[in-house]
Amino acid sequence: QKEVEQDPGPLSVPEGAIVSLNCTYSNSAFQYFMWYRQYSRKGPELLMYTYSSGNKEDGRFTAQVDKSSKYISLFIRDSQPSDSATYLCAAVNTGFQKLVFGTGTRLLVSP
Amino acid sequence: EAQVTQNPRYLITVTGKKLTVTCSQNMNHEYMSWYRQDPGLGLRQIYYSMNVEVTDKGDVPEGYKVSRKEKRNFPLILESPSPNQTSLYFCASSPTREAARNTIYFGEGSWLTVV
């Protein structure tokens, strides 16, 4: 079982839709959670960063962590074609300072 | 501009022919690492380096070597490439090893095909 699981998609939505991207994880030692965005033929770039449980909002993006169910979510409001990318969730095992990535979900936002 | 630069971006090579993928960062970061990205497997760490002359194995080190002679450079060496090393490779750097406190900066990737 992978430590961080993510549906590969693709997830296709029309422009303006609310998008929900999700991950589950298995290791209770994970304390920090991140979302990376990866455009085609580019390296991943950090999008959002949260510690422990709760929500964090940044513009159209909201990251949510529910540690009781080991569930990580990223919500995108008013999605745009420029949001079309692969979204990678990641979790940090602070004991080993190791970053564990999900496999990524490909998002397609059509005009 | 903060950058992680890797070369070559695209390479097709033959089995057994040694190759080196270079990586350079201009942010004076201590921590550098190499990942490979494969469909269905995601990003997996190959090797990492906490500083000059300090390197260690990641999750999938077999068939790879690295060196860190200068702080800015962290080349990935495939001594005898095999087809199962066909993959997309990313070099990454961050200020320190503390994954929880630092943004990791990735290069643009190197597409390697071994035939």
Side-chain angles (χ1 to χ4, degrees):
Chain A
Q1 181 192 8
K2 291 191 179 73
E3 288 188 282
V4 179
E5 299 267 11
Q6 193 172 6
D7 189 315
L11 177 62
S12 295
V13 301
E15 183 175 355
I18 296 174
V19 175
S20 172
L21 301 166
N22 306 297
C23 290
T24 58
Y25 65 93
S26 58
N27 192 337
S28 298
F30 290 151
Q31 295 283 343
Y32 293 83
F33 304 91
M34 300 159 184
W35 284 94
Y36 280 79
R37 179 174 60 195
Q38 184 177 14
Y39 289 114
S40 180
R41 300 188 179 277
K42 297 286 187 182
E45 54 181 351
L46 184 65
L47 189 62
M48 298 280 290
Y49 174 113
T50 54
Y51 171 67
S52 195
S53 282
N55 291 0
K56 185 173 183 179
E57 190 173 320
D58 184 1
R60 296 185 294 110
F61 298 87
T62 300
Q64 192 173 76
V65 177
D66 182 346
K67 292 197 75 181
S68 63
S69 58
K70 296 189 175 68
Y71 206 76
I72 313 164
S73 300
L74 178 70
F75 299 98
I76 307 174
R77 291 184 298 282
D78 187 25
S79 57
Q80 303 294 310
S82 59
D83 295 328
S84 298
T86 296
Y87 290 80
L88 304 160
C89 62
V92 180
N93 182 326
T94 51
F96 294 98
Q97 291 300 330
K98 182 179 174 181
L99 191 61
V100 180
F101 285 92
T103 53
T105 298
R106 188 168 166 225
L107 172 67
L108 302 169
V109 182
S110 54
Chain B
E1 182 189 352
Q3 272 189 330
V4 178
T5 304
Q6 35 181 129
N7 282 294
R9 294 287 317 279
Y10 304 93
L11 179 64
I12 300 174
T13 191
V14 296
T15 299
K17 185 176 181 183
K18 180 180 178 180
L19 69 93
T20 299
V21 186
T22 63
C23 174
S24 180
Q25 49 95 2
N26 64 358
M27 296 167 279
N28 201 37
H29 286 169
E30 290 182 352
Y31 187 79
M32 296 185 74
S33 58
W34 277 100
Y35 290 85
R36 60 178 289 173
Q37 188 175 35
D38 302 288
L41 298 175
L43 279 164
R44 295 178 293 168
Q45 193 179 55
I46 302 170
Y47 267 94
Y48 64 91
S49 168
M50 288 190 280
N51 215 322
V52 176
E53 302 291 3
V54 182
T55 63
D56 209 346
K57 297 176 181 177
D59 297 317
V60 287
E62 294 78 22
Y64 305 95
K65 284 175 59 176
V66 293
S67 68
R68 187 95 180 270
K69 293 184 171 54
E70 303 166 286
K71 198 171 186 178
R72 63 183 292 125
N73 296 324
F74 190 46
L76 178 69
I77 303 155
L78 286 73
E79 292 271 1
S80 182
S82 61
N84 65 11
Q85 291 179 297
T86 293
S87 187
L88 175 58
Y89 291 86
F90 288 103
C91 181
S93 76
S94 61
T96 69
R97 189 189 180 184
E98 289 184 301
R101 298 178 184 277
N102 293 295
T103 298
I104 295 177
Y105 295 85
F106 286 87
E108 296 210 319
S110 295
W111 290 86
L112 172 64
T113 301
V114 184
V115 297

